[in-house]
Amino acid sequence: MHDIFRRFRDVGIIPVIVMEHEEHAEKLADILCDNGLPCAEVTFRTEAAAKVIAAMVKHRPDMLVGAGTVLTVEEVDLAVASGAQFIVSPGLNPTVVQYCQEHNIPMAPGTQTPSEMEQAIGLGVDFVKFFPAEQSGGLNMIKAVAAPYGQLSFMPTGGINADNVQPYLQNDRIVACGGSWMVKESLMEAGNWKKIAKLVQEAADIVRKARGKDNLDKHLLAS
Ligand code: 3PG
C-alpha cells in the first residue's frame, strides 16, 4: 500500500468535503488539524475544489489533502497541480487508475461488488474505497469479501456517521472510513465552525477509542 494511505490508518476518519467557497479553506484546515483529523478529501463537485486544495496545502503543509470525486485524467492533473497528495473516485475507471499508476499518484478507486474488487486486483490496486458503504451492505459486506480478497484493504464511505463508525474502525482490513457528517456543507455555509470543531473532535475521539495503542502497534508490526 502506498505510504500516503498507510497514514490514513493513523487519522482513521477521512473528512469528505464539498466546499463552494475557497475562502473557507484555511479555516476548515485549521479546525481539522487542531481537533484531531488532519486530513481532507476535497471533492471535485464544486468549481472551488482545486483552489480549496491549493489553499489547504499552502496553509497547513502538515495536513494530508487529496481530491475526491475525481472522474477524469484531466481532473487528476488539476488536483495534483493544486497540491493533492491522493486521488479518490466513487467508481473504478481503469483509465484513471492506470494514469495514476503511471504517474505514481496514490489513488483509491471506488468499488462496490466482488467483480469490481477483482478488477481492482487485476489492475494492481491494493486499497479501495467501498462505496456507498452503508447502502451496499456495510461492515457485513466488507467482512464477507475480506476473505476471498485478502490482498485488498478498504475505505468504506457513504452513510457512515458518528453512530455507526466505531465497528468499522475496529475491523483489521479497514484502513480508514470516509464521511462528510462532521463537515456538512450546510454547517460551513452557516459559518457554524464551533459545531464543526465539536463534531471533528468527537470523531477523533471515536478513532482513539476504537483503535487503542495495542491495535496500532499490531498494524505497524504487520506492515
Ligand atoms: C462521498 O462523497 O464519498 C460520499 O458521498 C460521502 O458520503 P456521506 O456524505 O454519506 O458521508
Side-chain angles (χ1 to χ4, degrees):
M1 194 188 308
H2 199 288
D3 280 348
I4 288 282
F5 293 136
R6 286 181 197 277
R7 286 171 62 191
F8 276 25
R9 193 180 287 282
D10 293 335
V11 185
I13 294 174
I14 311 300
V16 176
I17 293 158
V18 180
M19 188 175 270
E20 295 284 353
H21 305 290
E22 71 231 45
E23 53 273 22
H24 290 161
E26 292 186 1
K27 177 92 185 157
L28 184 62
D30 282 338
I31 288 175
L32 291 170
C33 290
D34 298 343
N35 291 280
L37 295 183
C39 186
E41 179 190 320
V42 180
T43 61
F44 266 60
R45 294 180 212 167
T46 67
E47 289 285 316
K51 285 184 177 153
V52 170
I53 291 170
M56 286 183 165
V57 169
K58 187 162 176 243
H59 185 61
R60 295 297 297 233
D62 51 328
M63 186 175 174
L64 266 177
V65 183
T69 323
V70 173
L71 306 180
T72 64
V73 295
E74 289 76 19
E75 284 174 346
V76 173
D77 284 341
L78 179 58
V80 172
S82 306
Q85 294 159 283
F86 62 88
I87 300 290
V88 180
S89 62
L92 191 155
N93 177 336
T95 306
V96 174
V97 171
Q98 283 168 329
Y99 184 80
C100 288
Q101 288 170 330
E102 281 159 21
H103 293 83
N104 196 26
I105 301 164
M107 201 262 165
T111 58
Q112 185 198 25
T113 65
S115 298
E116 289 159 4
M117 290 170 198
E118 285 187 30
Q119 201 185 357
I121 293 166
L123 287 163
V125 171
D126 60 7
F127 177 59
V128 293
K129 172 170 174 166
F130 173 56
F131 178 77
E134 278 291 298
Q135 298 85 340
S136 311
L139 185 54
N140 279 339
M141 172 68 172
I142 294 182
K143 284 181 182 165
V145 292
Y149 304 132
Q151 56 277 76
L152 286 183
S153 296
F154 300 91
M155 176 169 66
T157 306
I160 296 181
N161 56 51
D163 294 329
N164 62 16
V165 69
Q166 183 155 340
Y168 281 99
L169 294 171
Q170 286 167 329
N171 184 290
D172 268 5
R173 298 286 292 283
I174 294 174
V175 173
C177 293
S180 66
W181 79 90
M182 76 303 283
V183 287
K184 285 243 165 294
E185 210 182 337
S186 54
L187 291 175
M188 292 192 282
E189 287 300 309
N192 200 345
W193 304 108
K194 252 193 175 156
K195 170 97 176 170
I196 293 172
K198 189 167 170 278
L199 292 170
V200 171
Q201 224 170 64
E202 188 182 287
D205 281 346
I206 296 171
V207 177
R208 266 192 298 275
K209 273 185 207 131
R211 296 177 163 178
K213 189 176 180 308
D214 291 351
N215 207 18
L216 283 178
D217 286 347
K218 194 172 75 192
H219 287 299
L220 288 174
L221 286 174
S223 60

